[in-house]
Amino acid sequence: MSGHPSVTGHRHPSSAVFDTAPGDSPAIVVDAMGGDHAPDAVVDGALVAAREGVRVVLVGDEPAIRARWDRDVPVEVVHADDVIGMGERPRVVRSRVGASVRVAAARVAEGQGHALVSCGNSGATLVASVLALGKLEGVDRPAIATSLPRLDGGTLHLVDVGTTTDATARHLLSFARLGDARARIDGVSRPRIGLLSNGSEPGKGNRLVQEATALLQGCELNFVGPVEPTAAFEGAADVLVSDGFNGNILIKTAEAVIGMLRVHATRRVQASRRARAGAWLMKDALRQLREDVDWRARGGALLLGVPAPVVVAHGRSDAMAVRAAIGLAHYAIEARLIDAVQGALRPSTGSTGSSGGHGGPSLPPSSDPSSHASSRTSSARPLPGVASGGPAA
C-alpha cells in the first residue's frame, strides 16, 4: 500500500514486525480501557508496538494512560471518562457516547484513525463500530472471524464466533462470503467453505444447517458441504461457517482444551528428572508448538462487514496479546481487507436481506484517512442476537 509501512510476518500476521517511521504509519486507535487488565496491559502492549514504529492512538483515562507510558515515546491520547464493563449489555453503548469504545470508534469514523482495537466487551465493540462506521453494502449482520492453526499446517478461519447467536440461513451465506474474503487476504486463491455441523452425510445437522446448505450449494463460493470440527482442523476447509452461538462455544472449547493440555504437559515434565531432561532437549520444538497454539500470539478476531478494520481482542489479553492485536489491525490495513470484503460481497449486493445504505467505502491506500471519513454512514438499527459479555475471540 502506497504510503503505508511494510510489514514482515512470521507465523501469524499479528506477529508482524513494524518496519516504518511512526509518522508514515497508519494510525491504530486502541480502546485503552477495555479488558480485564486495562489500562495497564493495554498501555504496555501499545507501547511495545509504538517502539516498533506503529502509530498508536490511545483512548481512555488520560492521566492513567500517561502515568504508565514511556515519556520518550510519542503518543496521542484522547480522553474518555466512561467505560463499558465486561458484564454490561451491549445496548447500553447507544446512550454512553463518552465511553472509551464509542470515542475510539468515532475517531476512526472521523478519519483520525485507520483501524480500531478493543479488548473490551465484544458486543459493545460491535455496536460501537456499527453506530460509528455503519456497514458495508450487502451486509445484514457483521461477523467476528478468528483464525486457528490446522493439523496440515494451514489456517482455519472460523466465522462467526459471537455476533449473531440466532442466525438465519441467509446470515450464514453472508458469513461465508465474509470468510471467503478473510481467507483470500492470506493468499488462499479459492477458499474452501465448510459449514459447521455434526456430520457431513446428507440429512445431518439441524434445520439451520440444512437450509444454509441449500443456499451455499447454489452460490458462487467454493462450498465443500457440512464439515465436522475434526475434519475442519485436519484441513477439510479453509473457512468454517457457523452461527455466533455455536462458533463461540467451539472457539472457547478449543481454548480450554489447549490450556488443559498445557497444564497436564507441564505437570508431566516436572514429575521426573528424565522428563525434564527430555523437555530440555525438545525446548525449541516445544517453544514453537506453544507459539502455534497460543491465542495471545494471534491477537484477536476481526469484525467483518464494517468499512474499517476492527479487531476484537480477548478480554484476558495481556501486553503480548495487545501488541499482537495491534499487529493484526495493521496487517488488515496492509492486506486491504476492506477491499477484499467488498469484492466478496458484490455478488450478494441487494440480495441478502440488507436494506442497503448503511455501509461505506474501504480505506484507500493513502495514509491520510481524513479524505474519506465523510463517506461513511452510521446505522441506528437495533442489533438483536448480539452476545453480551466478554470477547469471543
mmCIF file of all heavy atoms in Angstrom, residues 291-335:
data_model
loop_
_atom_site.group_PDB
_atom_site.id
_atom_site.type_symbol
_atom_site.label_atom_id
_atom_site.label_comp_id
_atom_site.label_asym_id
_atom_site.label_seq_id
_atom_site.Cartn_x
_atom_site.Cartn_y
_atom_site.Cartn_z
ATOM 1 N N GLU A 291 3.886 -21.349 20.552
ATOM 2 C CA GLU A 291 3.558 -20.181 19.740
ATOM 3 C C GLU A 291 2.428 -20.489 18.757
ATOM 4 O O GLU A 291 1.568 -19.640 18.496
ATOM 5 C CB GLU A 291 4.799 -19.711 18.977
ATOM 6 C CG GLU A 291 5.872 -19.111 19.871
ATOM 7 C CD GLU A 291 7.112 -18.718 19.089
ATOM 8 O OE1 GLU A 291 7.107 -18.901 17.851
ATOM 9 O OE2 GLU A 291 8.081 -18.242 19.705
ATOM 10 N N ASP A 292 2.422 -21.710 18.232
ATOM 11 C CA ASP A 292 1.400 -22.077 17.250
ATOM 12 C C ASP A 292 0.004 -22.073 17.851
ATOM 13 O O ASP A 292 -0.964 -21.711 17.175
ATOM 14 C CB ASP A 292 1.696 -23.465 16.674
ATOM 15 C CG ASP A 292 2.877 -23.464 15.720
ATOM 16 O OD1 ASP A 292 3.289 -22.365 15.297
ATOM 17 O OD2 ASP A 292 3.393 -24.558 15.408
ATOM 18 N N VAL A 293 -0.118 -22.513 19.100
ATOM 19 C CA VAL A 293 -1.456 -22.684 19.691
ATOM 20 C C VAL A 293 -1.808 -21.593 20.700
ATOM 21 O O VAL A 293 -2.914 -21.596 21.228
ATOM 22 C CB VAL A 293 -1.572 -24.071 20.373
ATOM 23 C CG1 VAL A 293 -1.345 -25.180 19.360
ATOM 24 C CG2 VAL A 293 -0.590 -24.213 21.547
ATOM 25 N N ASP A 294 -0.903 -20.666 20.951
ATOM 26 C CA ASP A 294 -1.161 -19.624 21.947
ATOM 27 C C ASP A 294 -2.079 -18.554 21.362
ATOM 28 O O ASP A 294 -1.722 -17.869 20.395
ATOM 29 C CB ASP A 294 0.167 -18.992 22.384
ATOM 30 C CG ASP A 294 0.022 -18.108 23.608
ATOM 31 O OD1 ASP A 294 -1.118 -17.752 23.961
ATOM 32 O OD2 ASP A 294 1.062 -17.765 24.212
ATOM 33 N N TRP A 295 -3.270 -18.389 21.935
ATOM 34 C CA TRP A 295 -4.214 -17.395 21.429
ATOM 35 C C TRP A 295 -3.645 -15.991 21.504
ATOM 36 O O TRP A 295 -3.994 -15.125 20.700
ATOM 37 C CB TRP A 295 -5.534 -17.463 22.189
ATOM 38 C CG TRP A 295 -5.429 -17.202 23.671
ATOM 39 C CD1 TRP A 295 -5.289 -18.133 24.653
ATOM 40 C CD2 TRP A 295 -5.454 -15.939 24.331
ATOM 41 N NE1 TRP A 295 -5.215 -17.533 25.891
ATOM 42 C CE2 TRP A 295 -5.319 -16.184 25.726
ATOM 43 C CE3 TRP A 295 -5.580 -14.623 23.899
ATOM 44 C CZ2 TRP A 295 -5.310 -15.158 26.663
ATOM 45 C CZ3 TRP A 295 -5.560 -13.597 24.846
ATOM 46 C CH2 TRP A 295 -5.432 -13.869 26.195
ATOM 47 N N ARG A 296 -2.741 -15.754 22.452
ATOM 48 C CA ARG A 296 -2.179 -14.409 22.586
ATOM 49 C C ARG A 296 -1.357 -14.009 21.361
ATOM 50 O O ARG A 296 -1.291 -12.826 21.002
ATOM 51 C CB ARG A 296 -1.306 -14.339 23.839
ATOM 52 C CG ARG A 296 -2.054 -14.577 25.141
ATOM 53 C CD ARG A 296 -1.096 -14.552 26.316
ATOM 54 N NE ARG A 296 -0.041 -15.535 26.139
ATOM 55 C CZ ARG A 296 1.066 -15.580 26.871
ATOM 56 N NH1 ARG A 296 1.261 -14.683 27.818
ATOM 57 N NH2 ARG A 296 1.972 -16.509 26.653
ATOM 58 N N ALA A 297 -0.741 -15.000 20.697
ATOM 59 C CA ALA A 297 0.085 -14.696 19.530
ATOM 60 C C ALA A 297 -0.765 -14.291 18.332
ATOM 61 O O ALA A 297 -0.258 -13.670 17.398
ATOM 62 C CB ALA A 297 0.945 -15.911 19.170
ATOM 63 N N ARG A 298 -2.050 -14.610 18.346
ATOM 64 C CA ARG A 298 -2.935 -14.286 17.228
ATOM 65 C C ARG A 298 -3.651 -12.967 17.432
ATOM 66 O O ARG A 298 -4.287 -12.464 16.508
ATOM 67 C CB ARG A 298 -3.925 -15.429 16.999
ATOM 68 C CG ARG A 298 -3.196 -16.674 16.560
ATOM 69 C CD ARG A 298 -4.086 -17.854 16.253
ATOM 70 N NE ARG A 298 -3.247 -18.930 15.749
ATOM 71 C CZ ARG A 298 -3.000 -19.166 14.472
ATOM 72 N NH1 ARG A 298 -3.561 -18.415 13.550
ATOM 73 N NH2 ARG A 298 -2.196 -20.136 14.100
ATOM 74 N N GLY A 299 -3.596 -12.424 18.610
ATOM 75 C CA GLY A 299 -4.081 -11.066 18.846
ATOM 76 C C GLY A 299 -5.566 -10.936 19.093
ATOM 77 O O GLY A 299 -5.982 -10.249 20.004
ATOM 78 N N GLY A 300 -6.377 -11.602 18.308
ATOM 79 C CA GLY A 300 -7.811 -11.444 18.457
ATOM 80 C C GLY A 300 -8.524 -11.845 17.182
ATOM 81 O O GLY A 300 -7.995 -12.593 16.360
ATOM 82 N N ALA A 301 -9.714 -11.323 17.018
ATOM 83 C CA ALA A 301 -10.544 -11.658 15.869
ATOM 84 C C ALA A 301 -10.917 -10.386 15.126
ATOM 85 O O ALA A 301 -10.941 -9.296 15.699
ATOM 86 C CB ALA A 301 -11.806 -12.391 16.333
ATOM 87 N N LEU A 302 -11.205 -10.537 13.844
ATOM 88 C CA LEU A 302 -11.583 -9.394 13.011
ATOM 89 C C LEU A 302 -13.097 -9.300 12.882
ATOM 90 O O LEU A 302 -13.771 -10.305 12.627
ATOM 91 C CB LEU A 302 -10.965 -9.522 11.621
ATOM 92 C CG LEU A 302 -9.466 -9.253 11.529
ATOM 93 C CD1 LEU A 302 -8.919 -9.783 10.210
ATOM 94 C CD2 LEU A 302 -9.164 -7.763 11.675
ATOM 95 N N LEU A 303 -13.620 -8.107 13.080
ATOM 96 C CA LEU A 303 -15.039 -7.849 12.844
ATOM 97 C C LEU A 303 -15.200 -7.540 11.361
ATOM 98 O O LEU A 303 -14.732 -6.507 10.878
ATOM 99 C CB LEU A 303 -15.522 -6.681 13.703
ATOM 100 C CG LEU A 303 -16.987 -6.276 13.520
ATOM 101 C CD1 LEU A 303 -17.919 -7.425 13.901
ATOM 102 C CD2 LEU A 303 -17.300 -5.030 14.350
ATOM 103 N N LEU A 304 -15.846 -8.416 10.635
ATOM 104 C CA LEU A 304 -16.006 -8.284 9.195
ATOM 105 C C LEU A 304 -17.375 -7.718 8.854
ATOM 106 O O LEU A 304 -18.383 -8.104 9.447
ATOM 107 C CB LEU A 304 -15.835 -9.650 8.514
ATOM 108 C CG LEU A 304 -14.530 -10.392 8.796
ATOM 109 C CD1 LEU A 304 -14.546 -11.747 8.112
ATOM 110 C CD2 LEU A 304 -13.332 -9.569 8.351
ATOM 111 N N GLY A 305 -17.395 -6.810 7.875
ATOM 112 C CA GLY A 305 -18.657 -6.241 7.422
ATOM 113 C C GLY A 305 -18.804 -4.765 7.704
ATOM 114 O O GLY A 305 -19.790 -4.152 7.313
ATOM 115 N N VAL A 306 -17.823 -4.173 8.382
ATOM 116 C CA VAL A 306 -17.810 -2.732 8.616
ATOM 117 C C VAL A 306 -16.684 -2.136 7.772
ATOM 118 O O VAL A 306 -15.736 -2.832 7.409
ATOM 119 C CB VAL A 306 -17.611 -2.398 10.112
ATOM 120 C CG1 VAL A 306 -18.806 -2.849 10.924
ATOM 121 C CG2 VAL A 306 -16.338 -3.028 10.657
ATOM 122 N N PRO A 307 -16.769 -0.838 7.430
ATOM 123 C CA PRO A 307 -15.836 -0.257 6.453
ATOM 124 C C PRO A 307 -14.485 0.184 6.999
ATOM 125 O O PRO A 307 -13.873 1.097 6.466
ATOM 126 C CB PRO A 307 -16.629 0.931 5.897
ATOM 127 C CG PRO A 307 -17.500 1.342 7.009
ATOM 128 C CD PRO A 307 -17.893 0.079 7.710
ATOM 129 N N ALA A 308 -14.014 -0.456 8.034
ATOM 130 C CA ALA A 308 -12.657 -0.229 8.539
ATOM 131 C C ALA A 308 -12.276 -1.456 9.353
ATOM 132 O O ALA A 308 -13.149 -2.110 9.939
ATOM 133 C CB ALA A 308 -12.583 1.030 9.397
ATOM 134 N N PRO A 309 -10.995 -1.806 9.418
ATOM 135 C CA PRO A 309 -10.600 -2.957 10.224
ATOM 136 C C PRO A 309 -10.879 -2.727 11.710
ATOM 137 O O PRO A 309 -10.515 -1.693 12.274
ATOM 138 C CB PRO A 309 -9.090 -3.060 9.967
ATOM 139 C CG PRO A 309 -8.879 -2.388 8.651
ATOM 140 C CD PRO A 309 -9.865 -1.253 8.643
ATOM 141 N N VAL A 310 -11.553 -3.687 12.333
ATOM 142 C CA VAL A 310 -11.834 -3.659 13.763
ATOM 143 C C VAL A 310 -11.378 -4.991 14.339
ATOM 144 O O VAL A 310 -11.808 -6.048 13.877
ATOM 145 C CB VAL A 310 -13.336 -3.444 14.053
ATOM 146 C CG1 VAL A 310 -13.613 -3.554 15.559
ATOM 147 C CG2 VAL A 310 -13.806 -2.097 13.515
ATOM 148 N N VAL A 311 -10.505 -4.939 15.345
ATOM 149 C CA VAL A 311 -10.013 -6.150 15.999
ATOM 150 C C VAL A 311 -10.671 -6.276 17.368
ATOM 151 O O VAL A 311 -10.570 -5.375 18.203
ATOM 152 C CB VAL A 311 -8.478 -6.131 16.143
ATOM 153 C CG1 VAL A 311 -8.006 -7.341 16.945
ATOM 154 C CG2 VAL A 311 -7.819 -6.109 14.773
ATOM 155 N N VAL A 312 -11.346 -7.396 17.558
ATOM 156 C CA VAL A 312 -11.965 -7.714 18.838
ATOM 157 C C VAL A 312 -10.990 -8.638 19.567
ATOM 158 O O VAL A 312 -10.878 -9.823 19.241
ATOM 159 C CB VAL A 312 -13.325 -8.407 18.646
ATOM 160 C CG1 VAL A 312 -13.974 -8.701 19.994
ATOM 161 C CG2 VAL A 312 -14.248 -7.537 17.786
ATOM 162 N N ALA A 313 -10.263 -8.094 20.522
ATOM 163 C CA ALA A 313 -9.250 -8.872 21.232
ATOM 164 C C ALA A 313 -9.868 -9.537 22.459
ATOM 165 O O ALA A 313 -10.963 -9.185 22.902
ATOM 166 C CB ALA A 313 -8.086 -7.971 21.639
ATOM 167 N N HIS A 314 -9.161 -10.494 23.004
ATOM 168 C CA HIS A 314 -9.644 -11.261 24.146
ATOM 169 C C HIS A 314 -9.706 -10.384 25.392
ATOM 170 O O HIS A 314 -8.819 -9.560 25.630
ATOM 171 C CB HIS A 314 -8.724 -12.450 24.401
ATOM 172 C CG HIS A 314 -9.398 -13.605 25.066
ATOM 173 N ND1 HIS A 314 -9.982 -13.515 26.300
ATOM 174 C CD2 HIS A 314 -9.613 -14.888 24.643
ATOM 175 C CE1 HIS A 314 -10.501 -14.691 26.630
ATOM 176 N NE2 HIS A 314 -10.297 -15.526 25.638
ATOM 177 N N GLY A 315 -10.737 -10.579 26.187
ATOM 178 C CA GLY A 315 -10.866 -9.813 27.427
ATOM 179 C C GLY A 315 -9.737 -10.064 28.406
ATOM 180 O O GLY A 315 -9.414 -9.202 29.225
ATOM 181 N N ARG A 316 -9.102 -11.230 28.301
ATOM 182 C CA ARG A 316 -7.991 -11.572 29.203
ATOM 183 C C ARG A 316 -6.642 -11.149 28.647
ATOM 184 O O ARG A 316 -5.591 -11.557 29.168
ATOM 185 C CB ARG A 316 -7.973 -13.081 29.458
ATOM 186 C CG ARG A 316 -9.170 -13.578 30.233
ATOM 187 C CD ARG A 316 -9.039 -15.047 30.608
ATOM 188 N NE ARG A 316 -9.240 -15.933 29.469
ATOM 189 C CZ ARG A 316 -8.323 -16.746 28.971
ATOM 190 N NH1 ARG A 316 -7.111 -16.757 29.481
ATOM 191 N NH2 ARG A 316 -8.595 -17.528 27.944
ATOM 192 N N SER A 317 -6.634 -10.352 27.599
ATOM 193 C CA SER A 317 -5.385 -10.004 26.921
ATOM 194 C C SER A 317 -4.362 -9.381 27.860
ATOM 195 O O SER A 317 -4.678 -8.489 28.651
ATOM 196 C CB SER A 317 -5.659 -9.033 25.774
ATOM 197 O OG SER A 317 -6.386 -9.648 24.741
ATOM 198 N N ASP A 318 -3.127 -9.865 27.748
ATOM 199 C CA ASP A 318 -2.000 -9.225 28.419
ATOM 200 C C ASP A 318 -1.277 -8.358 27.390
ATOM 201 O O ASP A 318 -1.758 -8.175 26.267
ATOM 202 C CB ASP A 318 -1.076 -10.268 29.049
ATOM 203 C CG ASP A 318 -0.520 -11.260 28.028
ATOM 204 O OD1 ASP A 318 -0.705 -11.063 26.812
ATOM 205 O OD2 ASP A 318 0.107 -12.262 28.453
ATOM 206 N N ALA A 319 -0.127 -7.822 27.765
ATOM 207 C CA ALA A 319 0.594 -6.926 26.858
ATOM 208 C C ALA A 319 0.962 -7.613 25.550
ATOM 209 O O ALA A 319 0.879 -7.013 24.473
ATOM 210 C CB ALA A 319 1.845 -6.383 27.546
ATOM 211 N N MET A 320 1.362 -8.884 25.630
ATOM 212 C CA MET A 320 1.717 -9.622 24.424
ATOM 213 C C MET A 320 0.527 -9.720 23.472
ATOM 214 O O MET A 320 0.656 -9.520 22.264
ATOM 215 C CB MET A 320 2.203 -11.025 24.794
ATOM 216 C CG MET A 320 2.398 -11.950 23.603
ATOM 217 S SD MET A 320 2.822 -13.632 24.142
ATOM 218 C CE MET A 320 2.733 -14.520 22.572
ATOM 219 N N ALA A 321 -0.640 -10.029 24.015
ATOM 220 C CA ALA A 321 -1.839 -10.171 23.192
ATOM 221 C C ALA A 321 -2.269 -8.835 22.607
ATOM 222 O O ALA A 321 -2.720 -8.762 21.461
ATOM 223 C CB ALA A 321 -2.974 -10.787 24.011
ATOM 224 N N VAL A 322 -2.122 -7.757 23.372
ATOM 225 C CA VAL A 322 -2.492 -6.424 22.870
ATOM 226 C C VAL A 322 -1.580 -6.030 21.721
ATOM 227 O O VAL A 322 -2.035 -5.527 20.689
ATOM 228 C CB VAL A 322 -2.427 -5.388 24.004
ATOM 229 C CG1 VAL A 322 -2.603 -3.975 23.456
ATOM 230 C CG2 VAL A 322 -3.494 -5.684 25.053
ATOM 231 N N ARG A 323 -0.296 -6.255 21.886
ATOM 232 C CA ARG A 323 0.645 -5.953 20.813
ATOM 233 C C ARG A 323 0.289 -6.747 19.554
ATOM 234 O O ARG A 323 0.327 -6.229 18.433
ATOM 235 C CB ARG A 323 2.061 -6.278 21.275
ATOM 236 C CG ARG A 323 3.148 -5.877 20.284
ATOM 237 C CD ARG A 323 3.476 -7.016 19.366
ATOM 238 N NE ARG A 323 4.490 -6.629 18.371
ATOM 239 C CZ ARG A 323 4.644 -7.220 17.210
ATOM 240 N NH1 ARG A 323 3.858 -8.212 16.865
ATOM 241 N NH2 ARG A 323 5.585 -6.826 16.372
ATOM 242 N N ALA A 324 -0.086 -8.025 19.730
ATOM 243 C CA ALA A 324 -0.470 -8.855 18.587
ATOM 244 C C ALA A 324 -1.770 -8.362 17.959
ATOM 245 O O ALA A 324 -1.936 -8.421 16.731
ATOM 246 C CB ALA A 324 -0.605 -10.314 19.014
ATOM 247 N N ALA A 325 -2.705 -7.880 18.764
ATOM 248 C CA ALA A 325 -3.964 -7.349 18.233
ATOM 249 C C ALA A 325 -3.703 -6.120 17.371
ATOM 250 O O ALA A 325 -4.314 -5.942 16.304
ATOM 251 C CB ALA A 325 -4.914 -7.008 19.382
ATOM 252 N N ILE A 326 -2.796 -5.270 17.816
ATOM 253 C CA ILE A 326 -2.415 -4.100 17.014
ATOM 254 C C ILE A 326 -1.754 -4.564 15.720
ATOM 255 O O ILE A 326 -1.983 -4.006 14.643
ATOM 256 C CB ILE A 326 -1.493 -3.182 17.831
ATOM 257 C CG1 ILE A 326 -2.271 -2.570 19.002
ATOM 258 C CG2 ILE A 326 -0.896 -2.084 16.957
ATOM 259 C CD1 ILE A 326 -1.404 -1.828 20.000
ATOM 260 N N GLY A 327 -0.941 -5.622 15.811
ATOM 261 C CA GLY A 327 -0.317 -6.177 14.617
ATOM 262 C C GLY A 327 -1.345 -6.717 13.636
ATOM 263 O O GLY A 327 -1.206 -6.565 12.415
ATOM 264 N N LEU A 328 -2.407 -7.354 14.144
ATOM 265 C CA LEU A 328 -3.465 -7.875 13.283
ATOM 266 C C LEU A 328 -4.198 -6.736 12.584
ATOM 267 O O LEU A 328 -4.519 -6.827 11.388
ATOM 268 C CB LEU A 328 -4.436 -8.718 14.104
ATOM 269 C CG LEU A 328 -5.615 -9.340 13.348
ATOM 270 C CD1 LEU A 328 -5.122 -10.254 12.229
ATOM 271 C CD2 LEU A 328 -6.514 -10.113 14.316
ATOM 272 N N ALA A 329 -4.466 -5.654 13.307
ATOM 273 C CA ALA A 329 -5.110 -4.486 12.697
ATOM 274 C C ALA A 329 -4.236 -3.904 11.599
ATOM 275 O O ALA A 329 -4.708 -3.539 10.510
ATOM 276 C CB ALA A 329 -5.399 -3.435 13.766
ATOM 277 N N HIS A 330 -2.955 -3.812 11.876
ATOM 278 C CA HIS A 330 -2.002 -3.289 10.894
ATOM 279 C C HIS A 330 -1.964 -4.171 9.658
ATOM 280 O O HIS A 330 -1.957 -3.686 8.513
ATOM 281 C CB HIS A 330 -0.627 -3.218 11.555
ATOM 282 C CG HIS A 330 0.357 -2.348 10.846
ATOM 283 N ND1 HIS A 330 1.013 -2.761 9.701
ATOM 284 C CD2 HIS A 330 0.818 -1.103 11.111
ATOM 285 C CE1 HIS A 330 1.832 -1.804 9.306
ATOM 286 N NE2 HIS A 330 1.733 -0.791 10.144
ATOM 287 N N TYR A 331 -1.954 -5.480 9.871
ATOM 288 C CA TYR A 331 -1.957 -6.442 8.756
ATOM 289 C C TYR A 331 -3.216 -6.287 7.908
ATOM 290 O O TYR A 331 -3.160 -6.347 6.672
ATOM 291 C CB TYR A 331 -1.865 -7.855 9.314
ATOM 292 C CG TYR A 331 -2.076 -8.944 8.283
ATOM 293 C CD1 TYR A 331 -1.083 -9.278 7.376
ATOM 294 C CD2 TYR A 331 -3.277 -9.653 8.235
ATOM 295 C CE1 TYR A 331 -1.275 -10.281 6.431
ATOM 296 C CE2 TYR A 331 -3.471 -10.649 7.299
ATOM 297 C CZ TYR A 331 -2.468 -10.968 6.403
ATOM 298 O OH TYR A 331 -2.676 -11.951 5.482
ATOM 299 N N ALA A 332 -4.373 -6.101 8.554
ATOM 300 C CA ALA A 332 -5.629 -5.954 7.814
ATOM 301 C C ALA A 332 -5.597 -4.727 6.909
ATOM 302 O O ALA A 332 -6.140 -4.744 5.801
ATOM 303 C CB ALA A 332 -6.804 -5.867 8.791
ATOM 304 N N ILE A 333 -4.955 -3.662 7.377
ATOM 305 C CA ILE A 333 -4.807 -2.464 6.547
ATOM 306 C C ILE A 333 -3.884 -2.753 5.363
ATOM 307 O O ILE A 333 -4.200 -2.463 4.216
ATOM 308 C CB ILE A 333 -4.258 -1.291 7.381
ATOM 309 C CG1 ILE A 333 -5.249 -0.887 8.471
ATOM 310 C CG2 ILE A 333 -3.942 -0.097 6.477
ATOM 311 C CD1 ILE A 333 -4.655 0.070 9.495
ATOM 312 N N GLU A 334 -2.724 -3.335 5.659
ATOM 313 C CA GLU A 334 -1.748 -3.630 4.615
ATOM 314 C C GLU A 334 -2.309 -4.571 3.553
ATOM 315 O O GLU A 334 -2.046 -4.410 2.360
ATOM 316 C CB GLU A 334 -0.503 -4.273 5.248
ATOM 317 C CG GLU A 334 0.379 -3.307 5.994
ATOM 318 C CD GLU A 334 1.200 -2.468 5.034
ATOM 319 O OE1 GLU A 334 2.009 -3.041 4.299
ATOM 320 O OE2 GLU A 334 1.017 -1.242 5.032
ATOM 321 N N ALA A 335 -3.078 -5.569 3.995
ATOM 322 C CA ALA A 335 -3.607 -6.578 3.079
ATOM 323 C C ALA A 335 -4.883 -6.121 2.384
ATOM 324 O O ALA A 335 -5.431 -6.872 1.584
ATOM 325 C CB ALA A 335 -3.867 -7.875 3.845
#
